[in-house]
Amino acid sequence: MLLSLVLHTYSMRYVLPAAVMMGTAPTYMLAWGAWRLLSAVLPARFYREVDDRLYTIYQSMVLFFFENYTGVQVIIYGDLPKNKENVIYLSNHQCTVDWIIADMLAIRQNALGHVRYVLKDGLKWLPLYGWYFSQHGGVYVKRSAKFNEKEMREKLQAQMKAETPMYLVIFPEGTRYNPEIPKVIADSQSFAEKEGLAILKHVLTPRVKATHVAIDSMKEYLDAVYDVTVAYEGTVDHKGQRKLAPSMTEFLCKECPRVHIFIDRIDLKDIPEEQMYMRRWLHERFEIKDKLLIEFYDAKDSKRRNKFPGKSVHSKLSLKKTLPSLLFLGGLTASMLLTESGRKLYVKTWIYGTLIGCLWVSIKP
């Protein structure tokens, strides 16, 4: 009985946030869909401005749960500018929370609505979200030989033509670093050795294609590239071996006390233009990430573990930036669910929004 109560209490720590975040999705999609129709006869720039504001509202609510609710400490190292910029954000990838980390940095620059992702193609089938990410300026890509460079260039060029602010998030490893799947890590290291590249321990060998297309397509539009390295505390076992990074569920259950984020702002002039040279440059950037993570996880001096070198700032997110969005979307959703017609519209949005979204992404990249 007591064990069941404990497990029930534990599960509620993520059930409530998940229910609110997913439960408000139809409300958000209805608001966005109405604006999409109204703006059809307006220049693309006007659509983007309001779309970015709507996205800011929804993601601010998400950050309420991932920061204010969990109480996680966000420790920032390096040079995160205070002002918003048009940037490409390159990060190591180890779990789904990595998506939220980009939001955590963007909101501190008042650029939350500008966040757009380069995502693996399979994610476009997510109900409601998959279609919307594409509409918000996200780019779906296939791996290796199936990668469509032309499609990605055309989408990015369309964004620039519409003067879309850009905070484009790319995870160059192409998949997550997972200590529980050693074969992926071994294959990545074997490939690096075969290509004459440095073997990496805590990150995978990066793939250059999406990064090269993004930088090459937008080189006159971008202000900088952010090279971001993320580490989650509590991801080492009693033997000192690295464990799997927290899932969104585990993060919402407050299993990660602190997240450490190292930012290196890189000028475009310091990045090679040719793909062959950019590939080596990108690998060198991941060598730097690997050294930071070796220091974080494996430093011989225990006092140097669980932190990156250099000065850091404990950055706390104000409730003023997140709570109003939660109250607005939550209240709007609750008012819809209070009436029979509202409940019918809510259910239909889930069903038909998902079907229309799947149809759209199947015929349009």
Side-chain angles (χ1 to χ4, degrees), residues 1-12:
M1 179 70 176
L2 182 59
L3 179 59
S4 297
L5 181 62
V6 170
L7 291 173
H8 177 71
T9 304
Y10 178 83
S11 67
M12 287 302 294

Side-chain angles (χ1 to χ4, degrees), residues 155-166:
K155 182 141 194 180
L156 293 175
Q157 287 165 357
Q159 301 295 336
M160 289 188 290
K161 186 177 180 180
E163 300 180 2
T164 304
M166 191 59 64

Side-chain angles (χ1 to χ4, degrees), residues 27-310:
T27 310
Y28 178 83
M29 288 300 294
L30 281 170
W32 171 79
W35 170 242
R36 192 74 172 110
L37 291 172
L38 288 171
S39 64
V41 296
L42 299 175
R45 179 169 56 87
F46 290 103
Y47 162 70
R48 287 298 176 201
E49 286 179 1
V50 176
D51 175 52
D52 285 356
R53 290 181 183 276
L54 289 172
Y55 188 75
T56 297
I57 292 171
Y58 186 83
Q59 292 302 115
S60 296
M61 179 196 67
V62 170
L63 286 175
F64 169 83
F65 290 111
F66 277 90
E67 282 207 57
N68 304 119
Y69 171 80
T70 63
V72 65
Q73 293 182 30
V74 177
I75 315 296
I76 297 177
Y77 307 73
D79 47 359
L80 179 68
K82 293 182 179 179
N83 300 320
K84 61 185 74 173
E85 301 181 285
N86 286 323
V87 300
I88 289 175
Y89 170 114
L90 303 176
S91 176
N92 58 314
H93 192 24
Q94 51 206 308
C95 62
T96 51
V97 182
D98 294 335
W99 293 13
I100 307 299
I101 300 300
D103 289 344
M104 290 179 178
L105 294 182
I107 198 172
R108 286 163 170 81
Q109 295 178 274
N110 294 315
L112 185 55
H114 303 170
V115 175
R116 312 173 209 283
Y117 298 95
V118 174
L119 300 162
K120 60 183 179 182
D121 192 64
L123 293 173
K124 69 186 182 183
W125 304 109
L126 285 171
L128 297 185
Y129 295 96
W131 177 37
Y132 177 71
F133 281 146
S134 175
Q135 295 296 299
H136 184 64
V139 182
Y140 289 107
V141 296
K142 295 179 181 178
R143 296 175 184 170
S144 305
K146 294 182 179 180
F147 177 78
N148 192 323
E149 178 179 330
K150 182 183 177 183
E151 275 185 9
M152 184 173 179
R153 281 188 185 276
E154 287 177 351
K155 182 141 194 180
L156 293 175
Q157 287 165 357
Q159 301 295 336
M160 289 188 290
K161 186 177 180 180
E163 300 180 2
T164 304
M166 191 59 64
Y167 203 103
L168 187 65
V169 178
I170 302 177
F171 300 111
E173 290 159 287
T175 191
R176 294 176 229 163
Y177 178 98
N178 185 344
E180 296 181 0
I181 310 179
K183 185 180 184 303
V184 173
I185 299 171
D187 288 347
S188 174
Q189 292 173 339
S190 296
F191 176 79
E193 185 176 22
K194 180 182 176 182
E195 296 295 314
L197 301 169
I199 295 174
L200 307 172
K201 180 180 180 182
H202 286 294
V203 291
L204 302 176
T205 303
R207 305 167 187 232
V208 74
K209 287 183 180 179
T211 302
H212 177 259
V213 171
I215 293 176
D216 187 58
S217 300
M218 300 192 294
K219 57 191 173 186
E220 303 300 328
Y221 192 72
L222 297 171
D223 296 304
V225 169
Y226 292 172
D227 183 8
V228 179
T229 306
V230 180
Y232 301 92
E233 270 194 49
T235 51
V236 175
D237 63 21
H238 66 282
K239 295 180 181 179
Q241 298 297 311
R242 188 171 169 188
K243 298 191 301 182
L244 187 64
S247 65
M248 286 188 177
T249 297
E250 291 165 339
F251 199 92
L252 289 170
C253 286
K254 308 181 182 184
E255 292 190 12
C256 178
R258 282 170 290 277
V259 57
H260 298 255
I261 312 169
F262 193 103
I263 306 105
D264 192 358
R265 184 186 184 278
I266 303 169
D267 288 328
L268 271 294
K269 63 181 177 61
D270 296 326
I271 302 174
E273 292 188 12
E274 294 293 328
Q275 181 171 320
M276 178 177 64
Y277 297 112
M278 189 182 291
R279 179 190 182 203
R280 185 162 291 277
W281 169 85
L282 184 61
H283 196 85
E284 288 171 355
R285 296 308 309 180
F286 270 71
E287 286 182 57
I288 294 171
K289 291 180 185 298
D290 203 43
K291 289 176 182 176
L292 287 170
L293 292 168
I294 287 172
E295 181 80 5
F296 187 91
Y297 292 113
D298 306 328
K300 292 182 180 179
D301 183 353
S302 60
K303 293 181 181 178
R304 290 165 55 191
R305 289 182 212 142
N306 289 321
K307 62 182 178 180
F308 290 132

Side-chain angles (χ1 to χ4, degrees), residues 352-363:
Y352 295 117
T354 298
L355 292 175
I356 292 170
C358 289
L359 178 63
W360 182 273
V361 297
S362 68
I363 61 177

